[in-house]
Amino acid sequence: MSATVLTVILNYRTADMTLRAAETAVRAMEGIEGAITIVDNDSQDGSFEALVKATAGWPRVRVIQSGHNGGFGAGNNVGIRAGLPDGTKPDFVYLLNSDAFPEPEAIARLRDYLLENPDCGFVGSHVRGEDDLAHVTAFRFPSIRSEFEGAAHTGVISRLLARHIVPMGVPDQPTEIDWCAGASVMFPMGVLDRAGLFDEVFFLYFEETDLCHRIRDAGFRGVYLPQARVVHIGSVSTGMKEWKRQPRYWFDSRAHYFRKRGGAFYLAAVTLAHLAGAAIWKLRRLLERKEERIAPYFLRDLVSQTWRNLMPRATVSEGRPRGQGAPVER
C-alpha cells in the first residue's frame, strides 16, 4: 500500500474560493491515495451548507464544521485530528490555503521528497501570485538579532547580520529553512505526533513559526522545495492588505511566540532590540530625509501591547476579534 496524504483546506467565508482550491487539489491528488477535508471555520454565513452541497459526489472530498472559530491553527487541527474518512491516520498531512491552487504535480512532489528524506519534518512550496511574481515563503526563525536588523533598515547592519535576516528570498534549489508560510506545506504525520499539532493559543500569525520550531527541536529539518509550485492570492479572508494598523491579536501572537522561546525576559529583549533598530532608522531618516518605512502607530502599539503581555494577567485570547480568522497570506 502506498503512502496516504490528507489534504486540509480551511474555509472562512470564502466558499467560492475554497471550492476553486479544492478543485485544483482534486486534480493534484490524482494517483495519490488519501482524501481532501474542507474545514469550515464556523463561518456562520452559509459557507458550510454551500460547500456541502457543491461537493456532494466529489470523490474523496468531505466537508466538516469546526464548531468554533479558534483561528488558523485550531481550524487546521480539526481537519488533522479528523484523519482520513475511514478514521485512520494519514502518512502525510498537506495544508492548503483556501486561496491557493497547486499545480498538478505539486502535492506528489512534496510527498515524494518526504518519502526520500525521512529526516525532513516539513516541506514547503514555491508560491507565486496570479501575476506570476514569486512570494517569499522561506524564512529563518526570528530572534534578537533579526528584530534589530529588520527595524534598522540600514545596509551595513543587514550585511553584518545577513545570517539572521528572517526572509530568505526565493531559492531556486531545495533549501533547508527554519520555517515556511502555511499556504502550502506538507508534514509527515509521525512528525506531528512527536512535535504536536498547532498551539491553539495562537489565533493568527506565528503559529506555523512555532510549530516548525517544535519540529526542529524534535530533531527534524525543514525544506523549501521550488519544484512544488502553487499559485496564491493571499489575504482574502482577513483583508490584511487593507490594514492601516496591526491588530491586537498580531501582537499577542508575537508575544506568545517569544515567551515560549525564552520567557518574559526574552520577549522584553527582542522588543528592546526592535526599538533600538527603529531608533537608528529614525535618526537616518531625519539626517538623510528618507521616506518613512515604519507604519504609523506601530512602535507605539509594539510598546503598549508588549507591556500588556508582560503583565501577569495578560492572555493571548484577550482582544481576539469575534467572528474573524481563517487562512491568511503566509
Side-chain angles (χ1 to χ4, degrees):
M1 183 177 178
S2 60
T4 56
V5 175
L6 171 64
T7 293
V8 178
I9 305 173
L10 186 62
N11 173 77
Y12 182 75
R13 299 185 177 182
T14 57
D16 291 342
M17 190 73 69
T18 297
L19 286 170
R20 180 181 163 194
E23 286 176 340
T24 60
V26 167
R27 290 193 289 271
M29 286 281 286
E30 289 182 5
I32 299 173
E33 290 193 32
I36 299 170
T37 296
I38 300 171
V39 180
D40 181 62
N41 211 16
D42 199 26
S43 297
Q44 298 186 16
D45 69 340
S47 286
F48 176 70
E49 294 78 10
L51 290 167
V52 169
K53 181 178 180 180
T55 59
W58 286 24
R60 301 191 298 171
V61 177
R62 64 173 173 168
V63 181
I64 62 177
Q65 173 59 251
S66 71
H68 166 69
N69 181 9
F72 179 84
N76 276 296
N77 283 351
V78 170
I80 297 170
R81 291 190 181 108
L84 295 170
D86 64 2
T88 62
K89 286 186 177 183
D91 295 302
F92 301 103
V93 171
Y94 174 56
L95 303 185
L96 180 69
N97 266 19
S98 63
D99 54 359
F101 318 107
E103 292 187 354
E105 300 299 321
I107 299 177
R109 286 173 177 167
L110 295 172
R111 177 206 58 185
D112 292 346
Y113 189 90
L114 290 173
L115 285 170
E116 295 164 5
N117 297 272
D119 63 329
C120 187
F122 67 89
V123 59
S125 300
H126 169 92
V127 178
R128 70 183 189 280
E130 290 188 306
D131 54 8
D132 208 36
L133 294 178
H135 295 176
V136 176
T137 58
F139 304 99
R140 299 179 182 90
F141 292 129
S143 64
I144 290 175
R145 292 183 180 92
S146 72
E147 288 286 304
F148 177 71
E149 181 279 329
H153 300 292
T154 300
V156 63
I157 293 175
S158 294
R159 287 191 291 273
L160 288 171
L161 299 178
R163 296 177 63 182
H164 301 278
I165 297 173
V166 172
M168 295 179 63
V170 184
D172 58 7
Q173 297 294 326
T175 301
E176 188 165 335
I177 60 176
D178 286 343
W179 65 281
C180 69
S184 173
V185 57
M186 187 177 290
F187 305 90
M189 190 67 227
V191 170
L192 294 178
D193 286 338
R194 288 183 59 179
L197 302 184
F198 286 107
D199 179 347
E200 297 186 12
V201 172
F202 294 100
F203 183 68
L204 281 174
Y205 302 101
F206 291 90
E207 63 275 272
E208 71 267 68
T209 316
D210 171 71
L211 177 56
C212 291
H213 215 139
R214 287 187 280 117
I215 289 172
R216 174 66 64 88
D217 290 344
F220 299 92
R221 63 190 180 95
V223 169
Y224 170 86
L225 188 67
Q227 292 79 13
R229 300 171 65 86
V230 171
V231 174
H232 183 217
I233 297 176
S235 306
V236 173
S237 296
T238 63
M240 184 179 69
K241 293 177 181 178
E242 284 73 47
W243 284 355
K244 295 181 179 179
R245 196 167 181 173
Q246 292 287 86
R248 180 166 161 175
Y249 58 82
W250 184 90
F251 293 100
D252 287 339
S253 290
R254 174 186 181 273
H256 183 54
Y257 174 79
F258 284 124
R259 290 191 72 144
K260 288 187 71 172
R261 290 292 105 200
F265 176 81
Y266 190 59
L267 170 59
V270 294
T271 302
L272 288 172
H274 193 107
L275 294 174
I280 292 174
W281 164 250
K282 291 290 188 181
L283 179 60
R284 281 194 63 210
R285 179 173 178 267
L286 179 65
L287 296 176
E288 301 174 22
R289 298 182 179 179
K290 290 182 174 290
E291 184 177 347
E292 181 61 276
R293 294 186 179 184
I294 299 175
Y297 305 106
F298 179 78
L299 294 178
R300 181 193 309 175
D301 290 343
L302 179 66
V303 171
S304 63
Q305 297 298 335
T306 300
W307 178 255
R308 182 178 60 82
N309 274 283
L310 286 170
M311 293 296 97
R313 293 188 179 182
T315 64
V316 174
S317 61
E318 293 176 352
R320 287 183 179 178
R322 295 184 178 180
Q324 291 186 16
V328 294
E329 189 170 13
R330 301 185 174 278

